[in-house]
């Protein structure tokens, strides 16, 4: 099995990387940066998002696993003091040629400009916001007009990303086994001119949402952890990415709802 390590760059993450390299020397593992079978992310969820985008063209052959060195890691579910156990389980998996994985859906974004169509993938979410004024845009679902939006912006998330920015916007938490995307409004304006649903929308696979911003509007786009400013967007189409999913290696059971509980509620029960 070929592996690579992506770390956050702080001292703790760097030392954990060195420790991991030493621990797996006795197993059938080869350190390979270009075409790894397994990518270990050491840091936080942002580090794993960075790793995903580094290898987004190799999703068929690459799986991810994370150690979180901060306060909270939703994707990175191993703790620093578990690095020895994780290394042992990865080593055993390599020897047995048995890498157990789960797959999560992604959101595909098609950005149309006068120069053509740009296609991107997001693991967590895609957002667009107005820069020097509120965002004004038309929303269509499956080529049918839905609403005229005016407000701070729009967030389009995957099920995995439903626990991130989407949750703070009042969106639903969606289990990542569902092939869906979620559209959440960011501080929409509702009056006699602009009317919106005012609630998040969940679209299944094979459905799509088209966003038509006001012409030449200055927009801030975010794709997971990457931000860009644009004023050349004619339309943005979002949908569940067809035939593409991210793979996470699982070396022990960690149900999604247990992950949600640990991240947001904790383990204390009321008697």
């Amino acid at each position: 099995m070929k592996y690579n390590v992506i770390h956050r760059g702080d001292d703790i993450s760097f030392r954990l990387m060195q420790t991991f390299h030493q621990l797996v020397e006795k197993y059938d593992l080869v350190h390979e940066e270009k075409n790894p079978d397994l990518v270990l992310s050491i840091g936080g969820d942002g580090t794993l998002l960075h790793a995903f985008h580094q290898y987004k063209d190799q999703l068929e052959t690459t799986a991810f696993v994370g150690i979180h060195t901060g306060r909270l890691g939703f994707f990175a579910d191993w703790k620093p003091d578990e690095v020895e156990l994780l290394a042992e389980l990865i080593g055993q998996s390599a020897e047995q040629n048995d890498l157990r994985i789960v797959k999560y859906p992604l959101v595909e974004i098609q950005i149309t400009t006068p120069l053509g169509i740009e296609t991107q993938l997001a693991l967590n979410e895609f957002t667009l916001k107005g820069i020097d004024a509120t965002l004004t845009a038309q929303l269509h679902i499956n080529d049918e007009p839905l609403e005229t939006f005016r407000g701070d912006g729009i967030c389009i998330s995957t099920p995995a990303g439903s626990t991130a920015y989407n949750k703070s916007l009042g969106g639903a938490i969606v289990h990542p086994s569902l092939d869906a995307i979620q559209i959440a409004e960011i501080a929409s304006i509702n009056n006699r001119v602009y009317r919106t649903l005012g609630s998040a929308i969940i679209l299944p696979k094979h459905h799509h949402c088209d966003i038509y911003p006001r012409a030449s509007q200055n927009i801030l786009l975010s794709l997971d952890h990457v931000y860009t400013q644009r004023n050349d967007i004619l339309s943005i189409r979002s949908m569940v990415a067809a035939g593409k999913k991210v793979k996470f290696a699982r070396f022990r059971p960690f149900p999604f709802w247990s992950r949600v509980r640990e991240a947001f509620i904790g383990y204390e029960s009321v008697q």
Side-chain angles (χ1 to χ4, degrees):
M1 180 189 295
K2 297 176 293 184
Y3 80 94
N4 191 27
V5 180
I6 305 295
H7 66 89
R8 183 162 55 185
D10 60 300
D11 290 340
I12 295 176
S13 300
F14 182 75
R15 288 197 299 269
L16 279 172
M17 178 188 68
Q18 292 180 312
T19 299
F20 182 82
H21 284 316
Q22 295 170 359
L23 289 170
V24 298
E25 285 179 352
K26 59 182 177 181
Y27 297 106
D28 187 21
L29 289 166
V30 178
H31 186 206
E32 165 66 58
E33 294 184 5
K34 189 174 181 181
N35 297 296
D37 302 304
L38 180 69
V39 174
L40 172 62
S41 167
I42 304 177
D45 284 347
T47 308
L48 200 144
L49 289 172
H50 175 78
F52 164 78
H53 282 277
Q54 182 171 333
Y55 292 101
K56 65 181 179 181
D57 295 326
Q58 301 169 220
L59 296 179
E60 286 293 324
T61 57
T62 303
F64 301 86
V65 64
I67 298 176
H68 68 85
T69 56
R71 293 186 299 273
L72 178 65
F74 203 86
F75 290 125
D77 49 46
W78 290 82
K79 300 176 183 178
D81 60 3
E82 297 177 312
V83 62
E84 187 172 347
L85 173 60
L86 178 59
E88 179 182 352
L89 293 174
I90 292 175
Q92 292 174 356
S93 176
E95 291 177 343
Q96 299 168 7
N97 193 26
D98 179 27
L99 185 62
R100 299 181 181 182
I101 61 171
V102 295
K103 296 182 179 181
Y104 288 178
L106 304 168
V107 58
E108 179 178 316
I109 302 99
Q110 297 176 358
I111 303 172
T112 300
T113 72
L115 298 179
I117 299 176
E118 308 168 14
T119 301
Q120 302 285 351
L121 292 174
L123 169 57
N124 239 14
E125 75 239 338
F126 169 78
T127 68
L128 59 157
K129 298 180 179 180
I131 295 178
D132 47 13
T134 55
L135 176 70
T136 303
Q138 297 288 329
L139 267 70
H140 291 196
I141 303 294
N142 295 340
D143 304 316
E144 291 289 336
L146 177 69
E147 65 182 26
T148 299
F149 175 88
R150 185 173 183 181
D152 285 356
I154 299 169
C155 173
I156 299 166
S157 64
T158 65
S162 68
T163 58
Y165 190 23
N166 168 78
K167 182 178 180 297
S168 70
L169 296 172
I173 294 179
V174 179
H175 195 282
S177 65
L178 300 176
D179 290 333
I181 61 171
Q182 186 165 181
I183 305 164
E185 301 175 359
I186 307 172
S188 60
I189 296 173
N190 280 276
N191 53 34
R192 290 182 298 173
V193 179
Y194 299 97
R195 301 296 302 172
T196 68
L197 289 178
S199 61
I201 305 169
I202 297 176
L203 299 183
K205 63 180 180 180
H206 308 312
H207 288 218
H208 61 268
C209 171
D210 290 314
I211 302 172
Y212 299 92
R214 177 170 49 81
S216 303
Q217 186 171 189
N218 290 320
I219 296 174
L220 178 66
L221 302 182
S222 70
L223 188 73
D224 287 335
H225 62 303
V226 178
Y227 291 82
T228 58
Q229 294 186 21
R230 305 286 292 266
N231 62 1
D232 60 344
I233 294 176
L234 301 177
S235 68
I236 300 173
R237 172 166 290 191
S238 302
M239 69 195 84
V240 176
K244 295 181 180 179
K245 290 191 175 185
V246 61
K247 298 191 295 186
F248 289 100
R250 288 287 182 261
F251 300 100
R252 63 181 177 188
F254 197 174
F256 176 75
W257 297 117
S258 296
R259 195 184 303 259
V260 169
R261 181 183 62 189
E262 180 176 314
F264 300 112
I265 300 173
Y267 287 99
E268 293 184 6
S269 60
V270 178
Q271 299 297 329

